């Protein structure tokens, strides 16, 4: 993509991240050139009628970063503060994620620049449908397959799929994943991001007999954060802090997670939770003295501004890109072990893949089957990362994960004759 001055619009963050692993991975200049820019992007602005008759022009975009391994895959988020660079970075991460866990997909990401809280349900439906009308040639079951991401959910996927099917006049459930089960969604997809992260965490702490000795803080209580909190709570880990976008609750003796989920289901903010524990800020949560810190909300929450004050021994990235590259270096020098997003939160896209397989075969699996296959895939990826880390003598899990993911993409590029 070029700007009005004819300059190539690259992804600065992607280039920086690649630069950091270039020598360790043994990437040539040509390979670096090929990976540092997104392949295709589409930016659209479309008018929407609000319920009161007013018209609003909405901006949206989709970036297909790399498609060497197959059709591109990745979520669509609804968020006010997204731009080309951010979405490109997220599409880049999706390319690495699908590659790392061995899926036959490239990577993409989309965003609609709105705060969904400011729109009614009917308006959100019109926005979702308009997004698909604008993107109808750009997406497709064999081109680019969207899915849920921040602030989007199965209902939004259902509207998007329905619009696509209306346009093309045929059923096409494989165009989108994360759909409601009634419309071809997979059992187990809704909890899959949390489940995948849970399997990895369970594996890491497999030798710890008394799980209640492990203190966990989780930032973000959306789909991934809340489901993971419950899974860890049920497995007897001590979840001492959770938070929503405004505030957190902290209790060093452990929180009653089922009760907190019930509280949130009533659409109440944690800042109003008076039952137990202390109300803290999101910033306080990041700095808590815990064994395991799980950022499960937005990106860049740990930066060079607060990385020094992180006291957690280990971080599992359930959000995409929660640690900035500068913070990553600080944490590494402090000896904090980080399980990167492209591994830790890959459960979502793994089950999206299963969903598409089921759609294309029109044969549906039990939840148990889905969960077992998910566990197999994510744990074998984790084990491959451990081996790569040892063989590269790499300091971080991130470098080892990037190395594996990049090598697989480059091999596909070579086989296609692009290198
Ligand atoms: N949005 C999720 C992610 O960041 C899922 C993507 C998908 O299922 O395609 O991994």
């Amino acid at each position: 993509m070029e700007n009005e001055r004819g300059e190539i619009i690259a992804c600065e963050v992607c280039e920086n991240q690649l630069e950091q692993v270039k020598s360790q991975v043994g990437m040539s200049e040509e390979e670096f050139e090929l990976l540092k820019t997104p392949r295709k992007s589409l930016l659209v602005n479309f008018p929407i009628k609000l319920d009161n008759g007013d018209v609003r022009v909405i901006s949206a975009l989709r970036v297909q970063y790399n498609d060497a391994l197959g059709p591109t895959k990745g979520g669509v988020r609804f968020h006010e503060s997204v731009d080309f660079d951010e979405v490109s970075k997220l599409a880049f991460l999706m390319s690495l994620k699908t590659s790392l866990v061995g899926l036959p997909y490239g990577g993409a990401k989309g965003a609609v620049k709105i705060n969904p809280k400011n729109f009614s349900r009917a308006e959100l439906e019109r926005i979702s449908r308009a997004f698909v009308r604008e993107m109808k040639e750009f997406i497709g079951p064999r081109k680019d397959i969207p899915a849920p991401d921040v602030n989007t959910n199965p209902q939004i996927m259902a509207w998007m799929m329905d619009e696509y099917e209306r346009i093309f006049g045929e059923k096409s459930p494989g165009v989108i994943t994360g759909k409601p089960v009634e419309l071809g969604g997979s059992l187990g997809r809704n909890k899959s991001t949390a489940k995948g992260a849970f399997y990895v965490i369970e594996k890491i702490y497999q030798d710890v007999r008394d799980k209640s000795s492990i203190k966990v803080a989780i930032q973000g209580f959306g789909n991934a954060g809340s489901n993971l909190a419950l899974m860890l709570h049920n497995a007897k880990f001590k979840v001492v802090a959770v938070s929503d976008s405004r505030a957190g609750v902290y209790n060093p003796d452990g929180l009653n997670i089922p009760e907190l989920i019930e509280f949130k289901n009533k659409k109440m903010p944690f800042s109003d939770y008076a039952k137990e524990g202390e109300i803290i800020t999101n910033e306080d949560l990041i700095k808590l003295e815990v064994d395991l810190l799980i950022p499960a909300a937005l990106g860049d929450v740990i930066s060079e501004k607060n990385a020094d004050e992180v006291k957690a021994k280990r971080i599992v990235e359930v959000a995409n890109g929660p640690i900035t590259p500068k913070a990553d270096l600080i944490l590494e020098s402090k000896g904090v072990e980080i399980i990167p997003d492209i591994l830790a939160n890959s459960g979502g896209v793994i089950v999206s893949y299963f969903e598409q397989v089921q759609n294309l075969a029109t044969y549906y699996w039990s939840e148990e089957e889905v969960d077992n296959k998910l566990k197999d895939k994510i744990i074998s990826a984790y084990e491959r990362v451990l081996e790569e880390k040892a063989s590269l003598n790499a300091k971080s899990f991130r470098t080892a994960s990037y190395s594996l993911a990049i090598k697989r993409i480059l091999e596909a590029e070579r086989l296609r004759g692009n290198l």
Side-chain angles (χ1 to χ4, degrees), residues 132 357 362:
V132 168
V357 168
T362 57

Side-chain angles (χ1 to χ4, degrees), residues 73-75 94 97 109 145 147-149 177 189 320 345 348-349 352:
K73 183 90 193 77
M94 279 311 302
K97 196 184 302 185
K109 196 70 136 211
I145 307 124
D149 198 76
T177 59
R189 171 63 182 89
N320 285 310
N345 73 22
V349 74
S352 273

Side-chain angles (χ1 to χ4, degrees), residues 20 60 84 113 118 133 142 176 185 308 326 382 385 416:
Q20 284 192 14
F84 178 79
K113 220 171 147 52
N118 298 339
R133 284 198 298 280
R142 285 191 290 267
I176 230 159
D308 247 340
K326 277 190 189 147
Y382 173 73
V385 171
R416 285 179 185 277

Side-chain angles (χ1 to χ4, degrees), residues 86-351:
E86 167 89 359
V87 179
S88 298
K89 180 184 90 178
L90 295 165
F92 166 73
L93 289 176
M94 279 311 302
S95 307
L96 299 182
K97 196 184 302 185
T98 52
S99 174
L100 177 65
V101 294
L103 305 182
Y105 290 138
K109 196 70 136 211
V112 179
K113 220 171 147 52
I114 56 163
N115 178 354
K117 289 196 183 115
N118 298 339
F119 294 88
S120 70
R121 184 181 159 92
E123 288 165 345
L124 288 175
E125 176 174 351
R126 289 200 285 280
I127 292 170
S128 306
R129 290 184 182 278
F131 174 79
V132 168
R133 284 198 298 280
E134 298 299 327
M135 297 278 163
K136 64 178 188 293
E137 304 294 352
F138 205 54
I139 60 171
R142 285 191 290 267
K143 283 187 206 168
D144 178 17
I145 307 124
D149 198 76
V150 173
N151 292 335
T152 50
N153 55 34
Q155 175 61 77
I156 291 173
M157 299 304 111
W159 290 325
M160 289 186 173
M161 178 197 75
D162 184 68
E163 190 64 23
Y164 188 86
E165 292 184 342
R166 282 172 194 233
I167 294 168
F168 291 100
E170 58 183 29
K171 297 297 175 212
S172 187
V175 67
I176 230 159
T177 59
K179 302 177 291 290
V181 172
E182 295 79 358
L183 295 181
S186 176
L187 291 171
R189 171 63 182 89
N190 207 32
K191 292 186 180 154
S192 57
T193 307
K195 233 336 137 51
F198 175 74
Y199 288 142
V200 172
I201 294 168
E202 196 181 45
K203 178 86 186 162
I204 293 173
Y205 294 104
Q206 64 184 353
D207 295 333
V208 180
R209 274 267 224 66
D210 177 16
K211 299 288 191 279
S212 67
S213 66
I214 300 160
K215 287 188 174 177
V216 188
I218 305 177
Q219 190 206 31
F221 216 65
N223 172 300
S226 63
N227 280 314
L228 182 55
L230 188 60
M231 288 170 199
L232 290 171
H233 175 86
N234 290 342
K236 306 275 180 285
F237 285 79
K238 191 175 280 177
V239 182
V240 295
V242 293
S243 69
D244 58 25
S245 60
R246 287 186 244 173
V249 192
Y250 173 56
N251 183 346
D253 297 326
L255 293 165
N256 183 341
I257 299 297
E259 203 175 277
L260 284 159
I261 289 179
E262 226 172 87
F263 183 77
K264 281 307 284 185
N265 285 344
K266 291 184 202 137
K267 302 249 175 285
M268 303 279 281
F270 282 144
S271 47
D272 289 353
Y273 189 76
K275 227 157 167 193
E276 50 153 346
E278 172 192 343
I279 303 298
I280 57 170
T281 65
N282 265 297
E283 203 42 42
D284 297 335
L285 184 142
I286 300 278
K287 299 172 189 162
L288 286 176
E289 191 136 4
V290 288
D291 300 283
L292 176 59
L293 172 63
I294 304 179
L298 289 170
D300 297 344
V301 292
I302 305 177
S303 66
E304 78 253 44
K305 291 192 202 113
N306 57 3
D308 247 340
E309 291 168 86
V310 168
K311 292 174 205 74
K313 296 190 186 74
R314 185 177 271 121
I315 300 178
V316 171
E317 293 184 324
V318 169
N320 285 310
I323 301 175
T324 66
K326 277 190 189 147
D328 213 25
L329 294 176
I330 300 173
L331 294 170
E332 195 180 292
S333 70
K334 284 169 55 138
V336 181
E337 188 180 284
I338 301 168
I339 306 296
D341 45 9
I342 61 168
L343 177 63
N345 73 22
S346 63
V349 74
I350 291 174
V351 178

